[in-house]
Amino acid sequence: MAKDKQNSYDDILTELFSYVRAGIKPGLDSINFLLEVLGRPEKEYMTIHVAGTNGKGSVCNMLASILQEAGLKVGLFTSPHIRRFNERIRVNGHCISDEELVFNLRGFLDSARRNEATFFDITTALAFEYFKNKKVDIAVIETGMGGNWDSTNCINPILSIITQIDMDHTEFLGKTIMQIAEEKAGIIKDNTPVIVSDNHVELKNIFIKHAREKNAPIIFSDHWYDSKDVLIDANLNMECTIFDDFLCYPELKLPMAGIHQVMNMKTVIAAYNHLKFTLPLNESHLRRGLVNIKQNTEFAYRTEVIPGKHKIIVDVSHNPSGANSLVETIQLSPMKDMKFDIYFAAMQDKDLEMILANIKPVAKSISLIQLKNERAASVEYLESLAQMIGYTNIKKCYDPADAFQEINSDSIICGSFYTVEAFLKTYQNNS
């Protein structure tokens, strides 16, 4: 890339990220203003809308991969990114280029400044405009952290999906799981089918209430579908059979593993069985979409083994349920009797005590890392929690690069997208 173009990209990304410090402003006024400026690009293609606390990224990428296998041109909007901002916006697995990002942002960045739009407002508008310009057939849209007041909640999708609910972003979404479910249920639209994978009994009536108010057909995928013959190998690939009273999908293969991924697959199959009546989908697309998810979408780092001399598992889970799923997956695999050196860092607004407690069963030692992020928990605070929980072999690391250069044993890197990002920078530089 020419230097002036690179500078334009760097400058525009620097400005975009400056809006992160302005904070989060729940509401749809800013995003609707930007979309009006752009001529409502989100109306130019079909959309699928996915909310939830855990699993929404997996579900989005599985669906995008399946739709791509059917020959459709598929937009995919997810967050956060791990290595580069461009990862958030993809068409058929290809990230938006630096040049396209600059071109599309320049068209409305002045309007965003005047309207004091948030980082996520601008990013959402950028994705919708880019998908229009690329003439996608359909776009799979992941919410940010919320639902009802999330910037993405300005679309009229052909299908809504709500994945597992957990305690996260409580300062914005509510202090109880019931309040968080109410917020996530805000993506349910008039007369639009909704698939819910959450299996909390106490939340079921919340989703039913919202669906009835919107006259939206509702399916609880974990109730409708069952699974059997779940097999996980030493590289954390999985095979399983999913079935209901009428259909059976034997020996589905996925290059990710865990009971939580079985649940996500049930949700995706429920979506497939709805979408196949309006889109050119068949079972071959479903199977190939699952097995080829990494090639089709570059989806990665969900309880994933990094090839090498030692077992290095990276996982971006950042709440108690995700940490529990990580441990459960290991205990269902051939690694069930192994202990690992844990490399952990996380944001201070998470339920850190519960996350650390959930990881402890597979820990041989724990290295607590100070991330270079103003939201990151301090190693001193993490140390106090780890000691209280009963960890005995604790190390403190004030530089992520130094911490990750020391890895020479079976290890797990976890706690946050930012933790994995810091690891990958060091790992890639040394590989």
Side-chain angles (χ1 to χ4, degrees), residues 231-304:
L231 300 173
I232 300 174
D233 69 19
N235 290 316
L236 300 183
N237 300 302
M238 183 171 66
E239 179 181 297
C240 69
T241 294
I242 294 177
F243 60 95
D244 63 13
D245 292 339
F246 309 101
L247 298 168
C248 182
Y249 302 91
E251 299 177 354
L252 294 167
K253 294 177 172 59
L254 186 72
M256 303 183 291
I259 297 303
H260 62 298
Q261 294 296 3
V262 174
M263 185 175 294
N264 292 333
M265 290 171 72
K266 291 178 185 177
T267 302
V268 167
I269 287 173
Y272 159 79
N273 280 321
H274 169 72
L275 295 169
K276 70 183 182 182
F277 293 106
T278 55
L279 297 174
L281 294 173
N282 60 44
E283 188 173 332
S284 175
H285 302 139
L286 169 68
R287 290 180 174 277
R288 295 203 312 266
L290 293 174
V291 77
N292 293 330
I293 182 173
K294 291 184 179 180
Q295 299 95 303
N296 287 345
T297 69
E298 297 188 0
F299 191 57
Y301 311 123
R302 274 64 177 181
T303 318
E304 180 171 330

